[in-house]
Amino acid sequence: GLGDVYKRQENIRNGGTCMTRNLFSRYASDDNNPDWENHIERETQLYHRKSDIRSEYERDYTRILHSLAYRRLKHKTQVFFNIDNDHICTRMEHVQHVESVSCTIAKFLGLNVDLTRAIAMGHDLGHAPFGHEGEVELTRIRKDFGMDRFWHERNSLRIIDNIELLEDDKSELKNLDLTYAVRDGIISHCGEVDENGIFPRKEKIDLDTFCEPGQFQAYTWEGCVVKVSDKIAYLGRDIEDAVRINFIGEKEIDELAKISQKYGVETINTTVIIHNFITSICENSSPQQGIRLSDKYNKMLKEIKDFNYTAIYNNEKFKVYRDYVALVIRSIFNTLMKTYDVCNPYKSLDNIDCMKEAYPMLAGDFYKHIKVYSNIQGDNEKYKNKKIYGNIETKEIYAQAIIDYISGMTDRYAVEIFNELLKY
């Protein structure tokens, strides 16, 4: 029961051990884990300092923390587009919630907290501006060019592998080059498929083989913990925001009260959901049973999630917002796509340059983006990153470059660019 959980927690705080921690601790370090070398493998080795005291996963965590993509999360929509309301949850705050929940669970279970924290920090770097509505419009654009859907888990991996850059000890800008375990946990974190008792997969795979969200489970227990924590973190907070801005009314609040009564909890908010679900996971998880909630709380989680989809995420009140997001993203994309020269891709940069007089911010920033990630006029020796667009030989590559550029935008920046397009 919960009393036993509290005893185990007290035991941990006092420096002792408990059965749950003993069962999971063999996976947390290189002592007994046969997959350890696979976990810490990097595509390209990072530079090392003799005085560096950080673990491989601590380095990943700080590399994400120092990245521009992470900083931009503070101005990206979680659910409610409200760039002027400081009290509405942003993508960055959500990431911090996931970090808090997952690290609490990982610490209790005896898993690697540094790995858990790094996955949690990076798991949403690939979200487009305007939350999932931005993702919907980018999917439509991709389909226009024969591409598959845009999904943020894969885009997060694309950003950390190919887009985001950091200066090294020689002031050269290079890709993040995170460990396999962190990269895997990020692309594997989709928690929209309802399941209880999550186990890590047994084999290391090429992460580019992911074709859809949730196709494979994470390779580590820590990745499984982040996956579960993602759901726990957003359900209650999204409800609180909906109540705060009067997005839902008394009818929906009464429905929540009935759910809370049904499961014998005080109320349904972030505090109650996070506490009860964390405790349930710590009490019920084991290498034999997987990372799991009790049956009671698993049913409660599904019921709250269904409520959120009906009352919040699929609410008709979002219609105008959806139309606005589609207009903003499509307008930016179409404006940039017109600059592509089918006969001579090298002239595309000249076309962008000519656009600077009309749209200085849009053209100037996209011009820099193309130069950094392509071979065209890429003469700056400071940039040692992958040139993922090559010579932009095809229209599809150019479209992908624009999608990468748009997906990295904050809500605020996308609106600024759109407003620039409105000027004459």
Side-chain angles (χ1 to χ4, degrees):
L2 293 181
D4 294 330
V5 173
Y6 299 143
K7 288 178 183 177
R8 290 201 294 270
Q9 290 174 329
E10 186 64 28
N11 195 24
I12 292 167
R13 285 193 291 269
N14 292 335
T17 60
C18 71
M19 184 178 294
T20 305
R21 283 177 61 85
N22 283 339
L23 288 173
F24 275 99
S25 60
R26 66 183 294 265
Y27 303 99
S29 69
D30 60 348
D31 296 337
N32 298 299
N33 192 334
D35 296 318
W36 183 259
E37 291 302 321
N38 287 337
H39 290 175
I40 62 172
E41 181 183 73
R42 300 180 190 273
E43 290 185 319
T44 304
Q45 286 303 309
L46 300 180
Y47 64 95
H48 285 278
R49 302 182 181 93
K50 291 182 180 180
S51 58
D52 204 334
I53 61 174
R54 296 170 298 167
S55 70
E56 294 295 331
Y57 299 139
E58 285 176 304
R59 293 196 75 183
D60 284 358
Y61 171 80
T62 52
R63 290 178 76 75
I64 293 169
L65 179 65
H66 296 159
S67 69
L68 296 180
Y70 177 75
R71 297 177 204 180
R72 292 195 295 271
L73 294 179
K74 65 178 174 287
H75 292 306
K76 289 199 177 195
T77 288
Q78 169 65 11
V79 172
F80 297 103
F81 172 67
N82 207 324
I83 56 179
D84 297 319
N85 189 331
D86 294 334
H87 297 151
I88 296 301
C89 188
T90 65
R91 188 63 57 180
M92 177 176 281
E93 185 183 343
H94 165 70
V95 164
Q96 291 169 341
H97 276 302
V98 175
E99 180 188 347
S100 172
V101 171
S102 60
C103 288
T104 300
I105 295 170
K107 182 179 179 182
F108 184 90
L109 296 180
L111 291 169
N112 193 307
V113 176
D114 293 334
L115 171 57
T116 306
R117 179 174 288 113
I119 295 172
M121 279 284 283
H123 84 278
D124 268 359
L125 293 182
H127 260 292
F130 311 113
H132 287 281
E133 304 310 324
E135 193 165 323
V136 168
E137 186 58 28
L138 288 178
T139 291
R140 294 192 187 108
I141 291 171
R142 286 179 61 84
K143 288 184 176 180
D144 289 345
F145 289 85
M147 306 177 193
D148 61 356
R149 62 177 285 200
F150 178 99
W151 43 289
H152 73 270
E153 296 92 346
R154 179 174 60 185
N155 198 52
S156 293
L157 183 66
R158 180 173 177 82
I159 284 174
I160 61 177
D161 281 355
N162 300 319
I163 305 293
E164 195 60 37
L165 308 178
L166 280 182
E167 276 193 351
D168 63 11
D169 56 342
K170 298 177 182 177
S171 297
E172 294 178 339
L173 284 156
K174 296 181 178 178
N175 300 105
L176 292 186
D177 285 320
L178 304 184
T179 60
Y180 180 86
V182 172
R183 296 169 57 239
D184 169 81
I186 287 171
I187 196 172
S188 304
H189 83 263
C190 176
E192 294 310 306
V193 178
D194 290 324
E195 55 194 319
N196 199 26
I198 300 177
F199 296 86
R201 69 175 191 276
K202 296 182 179 179
E203 71 284 347
K204 179 175 182 267
I205 62 173
D206 181 350
L207 298 181
D208 289 333
T209 60
F210 269 83
C211 296
E212 59 185 32
Q215 183 178 357
F216 303 105
Q217 293 290 14
Y219 190 42
T220 63
W221 285 106
E222 290 82 358
C224 294
V225 167
V226 172
K227 180 174 183 174
V228 174
S229 301
D230 189 21
K231 257 196 293 198
I232 293 174
Y234 75 68
L235 288 176
R237 185 54 205 266
D238 293 349
I239 291 171
E240 287 189 4
D241 282 352
V243 172
R244 181 180 295 276
I245 63 174
N246 297 315
F247 191 83
I248 58 177
E250 291 299 324
K251 176 187 173 185
E252 290 78 16
I253 292 173
D254 288 343
E255 287 181 41
L256 286 171
K258 290 177 182 177
I259 296 174
S260 64
Q261 291 168 10
K262 179 178 178 179
Y263 291 97
V265 299
E266 314 90 286
T267 185
I268 292 179
N269 58 26
T270 299
T271 299
V272 171
I273 288 176
I274 287 179
H275 171 76
N276 289 342
F277 287 0
I278 285 177
T279 304
S280 182
I281 288 174
C282 291
E283 183 178 21
N284 290 278
S285 298
S286 72
Q288 292 75 34
Q289 298 294 320
I291 304 300
R292 70 185 307 275
L293 291 156
S294 67
D295 291 340
K296 167 188 171 181
Y297 280 119
N298 189 51
K299 290 177 183 177
M300 180 180 172
L301 182 143
K302 288 181 181 179
E303 200 158 335
I304 296 173
K305 182 181 170 184
D306 289 343
F307 169 87
N308 279 21
Y309 270 89
T310 301
I312 301 175
Y313 312 139
N314 295 327
N315 195 309
E316 276 299 305
K317 291 181 180 179
F318 274 129
K319 185 181 185 310
V320 174
Y321 169 60
R322 292 189 184 103
D323 293 342
Y324 175 71
V325 170
L327 177 63
V328 170
I329 289 180
R330 181 68 67 161
S331 298
I332 295 171
F333 179 86
N334 288 344
T335 301
L336 290 175
M337 198 65 215
K338 289 176 183 176
T339 63
Y340 184 69
D341 192 311
V342 178
C343 298
N344 187 353
Y346 278 83
K347 286 186 178 179
S348 299
L349 271 178
D350 293 335
N351 295 338
I352 301 170
D353 202 32
C354 291
M355 192 192 289
K356 288 180 181 178
E357 185 174 348
Y359 310 124
M361 185 163 56
L362 173 62
D365 288 350
F366 185 64
Y367 185 90
K368 293 175 186 175
H369 179 81
I370 287 291
K371 285 188 65 175
V372 169
Y373 299 103
S374 74
N375 295 321
I376 300 179
Q377 297 186 24
D379 54 355
N380 192 330
E381 294 184 0
K382 185 177 182 180
Y383 289 90
K384 302 294 184 181
N385 58 295
K386 300 174 187 176
K387 305 301 180 181
I388 55 176
Y389 308 138
N391 295 322
I392 53 173
E393 298 92 343
T394 68
K395 187 166 60 174
E396 289 73 23
I397 294 175
Y398 201 69
Q400 181 62 62
I402 300 172
I403 291 169
D404 289 338
Y405 172 60
I406 292 175
S407 74
M409 292 180 175
T410 63
D411 301 359
R412 192 185 301 273
Y413 178 75
V415 171
E416 276 190 77
I417 293 293
F418 180 69
N419 288 339
E420 186 177 66
L421 297 180
L422 295 176
K423 296 176 182 177
Y424 300 98

